[in-house]
Amino acid sequence: MTPNVKGALLMMGSMAAFTVNDTLVKAAGQEVPLFQLVALRGLLATILVFALARHLGALHLRFGRHDRWLVAFRCVAELSATFFFLTALMHMPLANVTAVLQALPLTVTLGAALFFSEQIGWRRIMAIALGFAGMLLIVRPGPDGFSIYAMYALIAVICVTARDLITRRMSPEVPSMVVTLATSLTITTGAAIASVFQGWVPMTAGSGMLIASAAVFVLLGYLFSVMVMRVGEVSFVAPFRYSSLIWALGLGWAVFGDWPDRITMLGATLVVTAGLFTLFRERALQASE
């Protein structure tokens, strides 16, 4: 098995794990308040991440103050993204929210051009415009006006874009597991504080199993996403992130009985097509250098 094939399988595994986690969280959220759910999932995930990081010998802070600030800002961006994404997830079909997130390669490319002065040609600018048009089709206003939860999904995209741009500025000395552990601790702490004001409710054994399973799958998602960066070519592996939309369509239909309408599917197709073109165009430019 070549490194590129391994990377593609790991990327698809990561997307599958994250999407299954989203499905479990959405199912558990029908009985458990959001912040209680995130706090419990985060506690379990943090314990698992800590154990894994110790096993790998990746628990050290031997990197500079600049990187520590970047880790802190990244944690804030991830915390904000978690709140907006999960709030949207609780009120929108799984596939719709996942489709909005497929705009990330486009927003990261645009953000890198705006903030890091990276050059992008007119072809990629057109692809970004096409992707944004598709995103508008997905979150289009309904008969009662623009949904606030669709806006939350868009804000989540902005937060995740900020997270990824911050990650780009980190030096290689920062261990991935330390970043993952810091992120998990931040989300768990934030959710625990917020849950005090939202209130807790008694849980059934079924809800407990859903939350515990979500913690395992979110850990697998993080683990695979770290591993995928160490094998294969990023330009080859990156397009396989769109497999999450296939998982979201299948799980949304099987678990919740949701299936996007034609306009939403058209919007998702435009977003994915624009994202794939952007990735392939970037690969072609790197190959020509």
Side-chain angles (χ1 to χ4, degrees), residues 124 189 234:
R124 283 192 285 178
T189 302
V234 174

Side-chain angles (χ1 to χ4, degrees), residues 25 27-41 86 90 191 194-203 207 211:
V25 168
Q30 297 175 3
E31 298 181 8
V32 182
L34 176 61
F35 293 126
Q36 176 184 346
L37 188 160
V38 176
L40 292 173
R41 185 197 66 171
L86 291 181
M90 294 301 174
S195 69
V196 174
F197 301 95
Q198 188 180 45
W200 286 52
V201 301
M203 292 194 309
S207 296
I211 294 173

Side-chain angles (χ1 to χ4, degrees), residues 58-70:
L59 285 179
H60 69 80
L61 299 177
R62 295 190 294 273
F63 47 89
R65 179 179 298 179
H66 178 259
D67 281 321
R68 295 184 187 184
W69 277 110
L70 290 177

Side-chain angles (χ1 to χ4, degrees), residues 23-271:
T23 304
L24 294 168
V25 168
K26 185 175 177 66
Q30 297 175 3
E31 298 181 8
V32 182
L34 176 61
F35 293 126
Q36 176 184 346
L37 188 160
V38 176
L40 292 173
R41 185 197 66 171
L43 177 62
L44 293 173
T46 300
I47 293 172
L48 293 172
V49 170
F50 177 78
L52 179 62
R54 285 203 62 179
H55 175 71
L56 296 176
L59 285 179
H60 69 80
L61 299 177
R62 295 190 294 273
F63 47 89
R65 179 179 298 179
H66 178 259
D67 281 321
R68 295 184 187 184
W69 277 110
L70 290 177
V71 171
F73 289 139
R74 185 188 186 282
C75 288
V76 173
E78 186 77 76
L79 176 63
S80 303
T82 299
F83 167 73
F84 287 111
F85 173 77
L86 291 181
T87 302
L89 179 65
M90 294 301 174
H91 297 87
M92 293 176 63
L94 175 63
N96 291 43
V97 182
T98 304
V100 173
L101 287 184
Q102 304 313 304
L104 278 173
L106 304 174
T107 56
V108 170
T109 299
L110 180 61
L114 292 176
F115 298 106
F116 301 153
S117 299
E118 293 187 10
Q119 298 297 317
I120 57 174
W122 66 268
R123 293 180 181 87
R124 283 192 285 178
I125 293 175
M126 292 297 294
I128 291 171
L130 178 66
F132 286 154
M135 195 160 56
L136 288 176
L137 290 177
I138 299 170
V139 299
R140 65 192 184 280
D144 298 324
F146 192 81
S147 168
I148 184 63
Y149 302 112
M151 179 64 74
Y152 277 21
L154 294 175
I155 296 175
V157 170
I158 295 173
C159 294
V160 177
T161 301
R163 179 203 68 187
D164 288 351
L165 292 176
I166 291 170
T167 304
R168 282 194 180 194
R169 310 306 288 180
M170 291 182 185
S171 64
E173 287 74 23
V174 183
S176 298
M177 292 305 298
V178 169
V179 177
T180 302
L181 181 60
T183 301
S184 185
L185 279 171
T186 301
I187 293 173
T188 303
T189 302
I193 294 173
S195 69
V196 174
F197 301 95
Q198 188 180 45
W200 286 52
V201 301
M203 292 194 309
T204 62
S207 296
M209 285 298 297
L210 289 174
I211 294 173
S213 299
V216 173
F217 276 102
V218 78
L219 173 62
L220 289 174
Y222 281 130
L223 178 60
F224 290 156
S225 65
V226 171
M227 294 171 65
V228 77
M229 293 286 86
R230 298 181 176 180
V231 295
E233 303 170 16
V234 174
S235 58
F236 178 87
V237 171
F240 289 92
R241 70 176 295 119
Y242 290 111
S243 61
S244 63
L245 186 55
I246 299 174
W247 282 100
L249 286 168
L251 289 171
W253 175 76
V255 178
F256 307 109
D258 294 328
W259 189 262
D261 58 27
R262 291 181 180 179
I263 296 180
T264 299
M265 290 294 289
L266 174 61
T269 301
L270 290 176
V271 171

